[in-house]
Amino acid sequence: MAERTVRIIIQGRDELTPAIKNASRGLRGLSRVASDVGKAVKGAMLGLATAAGLSTAALATWGDEAVQFSRAMSAFEGIAKAAGVAADDMLRKLQEGAAGMVPARELMLSFNKAAQLVSKDFAVQLPGAMEYLRKVAAATGEDMGYLLNSLVVGVGRLSPMILDNLSIQVSLAEATERAAEMFGVQADELTKAQQQAGMMAVVLDRLRENTAALPD
């Protein structure tokens, strides 16, 4: 019985492979596949694994990750649409910037967090920062996903201490001064969103300066 069940599982996974390969390259196609795989794993395949004496925990984790991927992708699509950009195109730019150093789900979650913590305009700037983060990761040995999260959270919280993780030195005073110039208002009239925009501009300038001599 166990041998037959293992064969069913292997066959089932083999049959899923061409379906995944032939799915639409668009996010909607991938989301549908991820959701279907998650449901299959959490349902019928868990029962088969139990009969075969296989690790149900491993298969449950696989299913949960597929469902989480689908949810992150749905949110990513919605935010990208609201920002006026094509979700497929934005994910491609993020992946090109990360050069394979950050998983797709983590990139989408960072984009989603950037839009919610700061603004959609900030989120769409992330691909432009990836080249610099890639260089910092190579030079310092830091994980690029960690650097990307530090950028998003550091700008969102206007925190020079978190932005130190990018191997740069910035200050709230610099961000405030830049924002006042950008928006043509007095420093005490700035909104938090405007300060965040000023901080992002300062951070990009500093990253550009610090990584200018580093190879890509």
Side-chain angles (χ1 to χ4, degrees):
M1 175 62 182
E3 180 181 351
R4 180 172 179 271
T5 305
V6 171
R7 190 163 55 247
I8 291 173
I9 293 174
I10 293 174
Q11 181 180 350
R13 293 187 64 173
D14 287 344
E15 290 175 354
L16 276 175
T17 300
I20 293 173
K21 288 182 178 178
N22 293 329
S24 168
R25 292 183 179 273
L27 290 174
R28 293 187 183 280
L30 291 175
S31 179
R32 184 175 62 255
V33 171
S35 179
D36 290 346
V37 171
K39 292 176 182 177
V41 170
K42 294 181 75 174
M45 288 186 69
L46 286 178
L48 292 174
T50 301
L54 300 178
S55 172
T56 58
L59 288 176
T61 298
W62 181 32
D64 287 339
E65 288 177 353
V67 172
Q68 290 169 12
F69 185 89
S70 177
R71 289 172 179 169
M73 190 178 296
S74 295
F76 178 79
E77 280 190 297
I79 294 172
K81 182 179 180 180
V85 297
D88 287 356
D89 188 50
M90 178 54 61
L91 181 57
R92 177 184 58 78
K93 290 179 178 178
L94 288 169
Q95 289 178 312
E96 288 176 353
M101 299 170 71
V102 185
R105 177 174 175 269
E106 192 170 336
L107 289 172
M108 290 188 289
L109 290 176
S110 293
F111 181 89
N112 297 348
K113 182 186 291 186
Q116 295 180 359
L117 187 59
V118 185
S119 68
K120 293 184 288 293
D121 289 338
F122 170 61
V124 299
Q125 292 183 65
L126 291 182
M130 302 294 275
E131 175 186 354
Y132 308 128
L133 298 184
R134 196 167 63 235
K135 289 184 176 182
V136 173
T140 64
E142 293 285 3
D143 177 74
M144 189 165 172
Y146 169 75
L147 296 178
L148 179 59
N149 186 66
S150 295
L151 172 65
V152 172
V153 176
V155 171
R157 296 181 181 173
L158 295 171
S159 173
M161 291 185 65
I162 295 176
L163 293 167
D164 280 353
N165 296 334
L166 308 181
S167 300
I168 59 174
Q169 296 292 323
V170 296
S171 70
L172 185 55
E174 288 179 286
T176 300
E177 182 179 356
R178 176 64 69 84
E181 293 175 358
M182 291 169 61
F183 296 101
V185 299
Q186 296 297 316
D188 59 359
E189 298 175 347
L190 289 169
T191 65
K192 183 175 181 180
Q194 291 172 329
Q195 283 185 299
Q196 290 167 329
M199 179 65 85
M200 182 59 169
V202 171
V203 168
L204 288 177
D205 284 350
R206 202 58 46 81
L207 284 171
R208 187 181 301 111
E209 294 167 3
N210 283 10
T211 61
L214 298 177
D216 189 358

